[in-house]
Amino acid sequence: MEQKPLTLPELTRAATAFAALGSEQRLAIVRRLVRAGPTGLPMGALGADVGVTGSVLTHHLKQLVSAGLVEQWRDGRRILSRIDHDAVEALSAFLIEECCADHGGHLG
């Protein structure tokens, strides 16, 4: 069965997101932010929860923001981060969009 053709922007967006998730620390950050929900977490709490702080945390968050998986905003003096739920959902859909297409659409 022929695979659905993807546009270059779709492939680039997915590849960038998967590359950003290619670090244990960044994956831990994403998982923690998924648990936190839409209110997000301040940098200090996020770093303490995942065991990554300071410039290393900033570096990882910058990559996740650049990949479109995390959003950040200021609340007074605090910087908060939250998962971009739509982006993570789209990335998941990208993976399973053609699930089992070569097997008549059935798992197993």
Side-chain angles (χ1 to χ4, degrees), residues 1-74:
M1 179 173 263
E2 191 171 320
Q3 194 171 9
K4 175 188 163 211
L6 296 169
T7 66
L8 186 56
E10 287 175 311
L11 286 172
T12 301
R13 197 169 30 254
T16 300
F18 284 118
L21 294 172
S23 154
E24 292 90 350
Q25 292 174 325
R26 286 191 296 275
L27 189 55
I29 290 166
V30 167
R31 289 185 55 152
R32 181 61 188 99
L33 290 175
V34 166
R35 288 181 58 90
T39 58
L41 289 170
M43 295 274 286
L46 175 59
D49 288 351
V50 298
V52 180
T53 58
S55 63
V56 175
L57 178 62
T58 301
H59 166 76
H60 287 311
L61 282 168
K62 183 178 177 181
Q63 288 191 304
L64 292 167
V65 168
S66 179
L69 297 172
V70 170
E71 301 170 333
Q72 288 188 306
W73 72 100
R74 282 198 172 276

Side-chain angles (χ1 to χ4, degrees), residues 85-105:
H85 185 270
D86 291 339
V88 172
E89 194 170 83
L91 189 59
S92 297
F94 173 85
L95 280 179
I96 62 170
E97 182 175 9
E98 296 189 47
C99 178
C100 309
D102 292 343
H103 296 284

